[in-house]
Amino acid sequence: MAEITQRSRPLDTARDEGGICCDSAVCYGASGYHRFPERRTHAAGRDKRDVTKQRKRREKRHTFLHLVPVSSQSYNGHDTTVLSWAVGQSRGQGLQVSADTVTVEAEGTYFIYSQVLYKDTTWVMGHVITKRLKGAETKLMKCLKSMPSNVSQPLNTCYTAGIYFLESGSTLQLSVPRKSAELILTAHTTFMGLFNI
């Protein structure tokens, strides 16, 4: 307890009474003081290339893509409506968008999210996010929502999100399993995105 009290005394008092007291990089004791080497020496002499490498690594880790809708295309033969996208915000080179698909160039674990605003009289609406890789097709997420019984304003949103490992070369597509689906295609109501975690 005496040692703790002694450390908390002011520098001059501790030095005068022969105690030990540290301030920043200097320690005072009974036999004078000792200056510790500055810790900033290594950081100050750090090569600029190291900083650039760290920045690139950080950007790679935090690659993201947020998409806003451009249009929707109905495919009557498959009874689906597919959305086409434009980049709303992005960072990094690991994700690329081309019309209605997102291509993953940097494999990793991604948080994927999507929302669609429906304006349709069909009693249930929803959408599916599908992953395609080397001919194989996997449905990653589905979102279903009951539509309101008020036919004059049949509006409802469906939001879904999940975490998945995505291999390099895989593509993602959002589709509504209903032909000629009535959708509200505005950036704040219908969107899709993913980011590396």
Side-chain angles (χ1 to χ4, degrees), residues 65-93:
L65 184 65
H66 179 80
L67 304 172
V68 294
V70 174
S71 63
S72 63
Q73 176 70 40
S74 181
Y75 295 95
N76 294 339
H78 297 285
D79 194 24
T80 60
T81 302
V82 176
L83 278 78
S84 291
W85 304 98
V87 176
Q89 294 183 26
S90 69
R91 181 171 59 200
Q93 302 297 317

Side-chain angles (χ1 to χ4, degrees), residues 70-125:
V70 174
S71 63
S72 63
Q73 176 70 40
S74 181
Y75 295 95
N76 294 339
H78 297 285
D79 194 24
T80 60
T81 302
V82 176
L83 278 78
S84 291
W85 304 98
V87 176
Q89 294 183 26
S90 69
R91 181 171 59 200
Q93 302 297 317
L95 301 166
Q96 301 298 322
V97 63
S98 175
D100 60 354
T101 59
V102 175
T103 302
V104 178
E105 294 183 355
E107 74 173 23
T109 304
Y110 288 85
F111 181 85
I112 307 169
Y113 61 92
S114 65
Q115 176 177 293
V116 177
L117 175 58
Y118 302 98
K119 184 182 180 181
D120 204 295
T121 55
T122 307
W123 66 282
V124 173
M125 293 297 292

Side-chain angles (χ1 to χ4, degrees), residues 14-165:
R15 190 171 49 232
D16 294 341
E17 294 177 4
I20 297 173
C21 184
C22 291
D23 175 34
S24 182
V26 180
C27 270
Y28 300 94
S31 61
Y33 66 91
H34 175 75
R35 181 174 293 276
F36 292 105
E38 292 290 331
R39 292 183 182 181
R40 285 177 281 191
T41 308
H42 176 67
R46 191 186 316 175
D47 191 41
K48 287 184 180 180
R49 286 175 292 173
D50 292 342
V51 176
T52 305
K53 285 179 187 175
Q54 286 179 353
R55 190 173 294 140
K56 284 182 180 177
R57 266 189 245 122
R58 192 165 47 241
E59 284 179 6
K60 185 177 180 181
R61 280 197 307 259
H62 299 293
T63 296
F64 74 86
L65 184 65
H66 179 80
L67 304 172
V68 294
V70 174
S71 63
S72 63
Q73 176 70 40
S74 181
Y75 295 95
N76 294 339
H78 297 285
D79 194 24
T80 60
T81 302
V82 176
L83 278 78
S84 291
W85 304 98
V87 176
Q89 294 183 26
S90 69
R91 181 171 59 200
Q93 302 297 317
L95 301 166
Q96 301 298 322
V97 63
S98 175
D100 60 354
T101 59
V102 175
T103 302
V104 178
E105 294 183 355
E107 74 173 23
T109 304
Y110 288 85
F111 181 85
I112 307 169
Y113 61 92
S114 65
Q115 176 177 293
V116 177
L117 175 58
Y118 302 98
K119 184 182 180 181
D120 204 295
T121 55
T122 307
W123 66 282
V124 173
M125 293 297 292
H127 61 273
V128 178
I129 294 184
T130 305
K131 178 182 87 168
R132 292 183 181 88
L133 178 65
K134 298 177 182 176
E137 188 174 289
T138 308
K139 292 187 182 350
L140 296 182
M141 295 187 290
K142 297 177 183 179
C143 190
L144 294 173
K145 189 66 89 167
S146 297
M147 297 302 289
S149 56
N150 181 358
V151 179
S152 64
Q153 287 292 333
L155 295 171
N156 214 345
T157 59
C158 199
Y159 174 89
T160 187
I163 297 172
Y164 295 92
F165 181 81

